[in-house]
Structures are given as structure tokens and as C-alpha cells.
Amino acid sequence: MPNLTPEMFAKLAATPLFEGLAQHEIEQVLKQASQLRLEADSYFFYQGDRARRIYILLSGQIKVIQLTPEGQQVVMRMVNPIELFGCIAALSGGEYPASAQATKDSLALSLHQDDIHRLMGIYPRMAINAFQIMVKRTHELQDRYRELATETVERRLAHTLLRLMEQSGVRKGKVILLDMPLSRQDLAEMIGSTLYTVSRVLSGWEARGFVEAGREKIRLVEPATLRLIAEAREFSADLAHAPI
Amino acid sequence: MPNLTPEMFAKLAATPLFEGLAQHEIEQVLKQASQLRLEADSYFFYQGDRARRIYILLSGQIKVIQLTPEGQQVVMRMVNPIELFGCIAALSGGEYPASAQATKDSLALSLHQDDIHRLMGIYPRMAINAFQIMVKRTHELQDRYRELATETVERRLAHTLLRLMEQSGVRKGKVILLDMPLSRQDLAEMIGSTLYTVSRVLSGWEARGFVEAGREKIRLVEPATLRLIAEAREFSADLAHAPI
DNA sequence: CGGGAGTTTGAGCTATCTCAACGGGGGTGG
DNA sequence: CCACCCCCGTTGAGATAGCTCAAACTCCCG
């Protein structure tokens, strides 16, 4: 049983995974968990590792990355506190299909697949919750798939920044700061583009005052305008011939 | 309780969803199910409908389609017998994010979300199975997302045909027939492309003898070559200047 | 005060889309 | 039963979004 602060425990109890479970039941589950603390840039697991543990992020942030055979990276998702990752370990006998890298110093709990399986048998509500979490995730991934299949880079980038804003945006006066290290390369890997194109789009937006884009940080000045761009109801950055 | 033939029942019992459940337990679950038979081209539900029922396909085939605000279609997946669809109904209060259209005459069972929830509480194994099914589906969708983000139309098309072959390919002598109506437009909507580009790629392959492409049907003559194309270890159809 | 990682920008290229026109086969209604 | 029509498919030509490569620029950090 990891040594959790009461606040940590309260946060965990509020996780969708534990919804509907009694305090003592959650304690029973957490007895099986181990705790893992990693500093920024290190990995919880690598693509191809034997998948044995499911993780719950307590603090920090994780990036789930898939590597193509050609060595290109694709960012599958950003994981924020009290979210699950490494769920593939629920299927016995497989490998992690992606790597999980901390983007900040992070703390996570993990459960062995055997324990997960056993505990879900005892506490069906947890299994139902896990099912629902995955349904939701599939749904979100379908939306991103549709975006990738039908939208321009600019719209995809707008969608992505808005999503990041909702997940971990921090209000700073009138603007919203995306509170994570985020290079042009990272953004490109999230939307299936290149760092060059991302840089051009951001420059275009910055010239119009929609965002402020610094080195590995983005501030959203006019989220509403980004929303319009995402929905294709607003002019674009017009990469080619921006009239300043 | 729907009137199932013994063969149907046996097939259902072999569904991943019911794995590990006893015969009489499966019967208890199926008592709550209703049966729905639809002919080709009609819809089980439409995008935007209130999501109340989860479906299990018994026979036929379903296409899950998402419509963009601009009216473009994206095929999210093909559903084959004993697979689930409409899982979003597991989350209460939502709408179906996509439509489910029969591509052949089809028969499906459906369960109301309240029954699903209740039954999973009684039979935890079913909840665990459902969780695992969704984990697997997320995994597959991630793979397709990565393909869309990093691969050319030709490779994506090769991957897609190979997947369809595994799911519902029928061996006809030396070639494999994809046993479903499949227009250029359908394929384009699966891989995020246009019917024109798909047509050109197929023509290129046909000229080289890898496939035989007819009106709404595809025969794979050299699946192994397609595999090579999918993995980018083989020459392409070379749309621009195919030297016959 | 370098050095390097991250970023910007230009120029050219190309895979793919778009639009337009034509072709063909099979189902159906007269 | 046959002709017509419609849907599906093909192909060409041109346009273009976004990629690639190269080079320069700017912080930040030691």
C-alpha cells in the first residue's frame, strides 16, 4: 500500500474508475498498488515492453507516444492526473503498443494485471467504470481520427490547442497559458504534421494576435477565435501570402 | 428473449463478451435482449440519436459512419458478426456519435443500457470482458490513427484491404475475395482520401496484377505483395508515370 | 560568451485533391 | 427481352496544401 496523503486519497476516490465504490473498497484496491515517481523526460514504459501493469497518474503529466517503423513519432494522447494509462495491460500476454514519457515530474500508482482482473471480479463497479472510461476514450479517438481524415493542419492545430486548454490550461489574466513544455515538434506529432508547418501556422496566428507562441510554451489570447478556426467559420492564417 | 437457433446461441456463447460465463448465465443475459433484423442499406441508428442500446451483430455486416459538419463521411469501422457496436450507449445520457448502416441484410441483438449496467453488476466477468474489448478497440484505432498521420494513401489502402481480408475475406481458388459491397468511395472514406485517388491506386495495382478490382468488389491476387506495400518495402503503383 | 536546442523563413517540390469529361455494365421498366 | 439510364468507375489536367531541405536566427544556460 503506497503512502498517500489524505488529499491524494480524496482525489483518487473522485476518479471515474472508483466512482460508486465505498471508501473501504477503494482502500482494499489501493493496497495492491505500487507507487512510482519519475522525473520529467523519463519513461514509465517503452513500446514493446511486456504489458503487465496499468497506471493511474497522480500528479504531473504523461505523453503517450507511438513510434513508426520508420522512426517517426506520433503522440497518441496526453495523460493528466487521475487518468489511466497503460490499459493495454488489461489484455494478458501483450506488449505496450506505445511508450509513456513523463513531460513533467510525475507520480503514478500502478496495479498488476492479475490484481486488476481479480479486483474487478470482486468489485464489478470498477470493471463497469473501466469499460465506460474506455468507451469514452474510443469516442475521443474517433473524433481525432475524423479530424485527421478531413481537416486541414490549421484546423487540427486549433482543435488540439483547445483540447489542451481544457485539460490543463491555466488562466493568466486575460490569456490562457498551456501549462506544459510544448515544442513545435510535439504539436506536429500530435496532429500528424511537421514542425515547419506548425511554426508557420502559429506565426500567422501570432501576427493576428490570436496566440502568443514562445519557446516551448503557448498562450492562447483569443480562444474564441481559435474555436472559430477549428470549426472553419473564420479566416485562416493564410500561410502563403499573409498580408501582415 | 429472442428466438435463437442453437447455432446462433453457440456462436454467441463464443463471443468475447460472454467468455467465462456459464451457459445459464448467458441465457439470463439474453432474456433481456431484443432482436432486430434490417435489410442492406438501412440504419440501426443515426448519428445524434439518443444512445440507449448496445448491439451485438449476429449476422450480416455493419458500417459505422461519422458525418462531418461539412457533410463528408468517414467510415470509422466495419462491424462483423458477434462484434459489439453502439457501445457509446454504455455512457448514460449521450447521443450516438456515428450512424450504423447495414452493408448486407443483418441481424442484431440489442440490450438497453440499464440492463447492461445491471447485468454487469451481477456478472462482473461480462464487465471485464467489455472493458477488454474496448481496450483492444482503442488499440486498433490508435494504429489506424498512426497510419493516417504518417503513411501515404497507397500504404493506407494496402493496410485497409489486408485488414478487411482478415475480417471477412473469402478464399476463391488462389485469390481472396472481399465479401462485401465496397465502392471506391467507401474505401476512400475508410482511409481519409478521395474516390479518384483510390481508383488510381487500384488501377495501378491491377496493371501489375496484385488485385482485381471490379464494380463494388475487390479480389486480392497477391496479398503478400500488398503486405510489402503496406510496410513500404515494395515499389508503389506510381500514380503519376506508371510504365504500364 | 560560446553552444546547442528550438524556431523561423524561404524556395522548390510532390502527393493528393479538385473538377470535368467520358466510359461501361447491369438492373429495370416498358 | 431489350434499351435506356443511372450509378459506379476511369482518366486527364490543373491547382494546392503541406512537405522537404537548407540556412539563418534567438534564446537560454552553463
Side-chain angles (χ1 to χ4, degrees), chain A residues 21 60 96 107 210 241:
Chain A
L21 268 72
Y96 290 114
L107 178 63
F210 307 159
H241 340 80

Side-chain angles (χ1 to χ4, degrees), chain A residues 91-161:
Chain A
L91 275 38
S92 58
E95 300 174 350
Y96 290 114
S99 306
Q101 184 185 24
T103 62
K104 312 174 183 172
D105 294 351
S106 297
L107 178 63
L109 292 183
S110 75
L111 283 163
H112 191 275
Q113 57 186 357
D114 296 343
D115 293 324
I116 277 280
H117 197 273
R118 191 168 45 74
L119 288 164
M120 284 184 174
I122 303 171
Y123 308 114
R125 185 59 197 267
M126 203 168 97
I128 295 173
N129 291 341
F131 169 50
Q132 292 183 332
I133 288 169
M134 293 312 294
V135 166
K136 199 166 169 190
R137 198 131 106 212
T138 302
H139 181 185
E140 289 163 359
L141 196 52
Q142 280 187 355
D143 284 345
R144 287 179 50 201
Y145 186 88
R146 191 203 56 231
E147 286 173 18
L148 190 50
T150 64
E151 298 182 356
T152 63
V153 166
E154 180 172 34
R155 288 182 62 184
R156 268 142 55 201
L157 186 57
H159 271 124
T160 299
L161 292 183

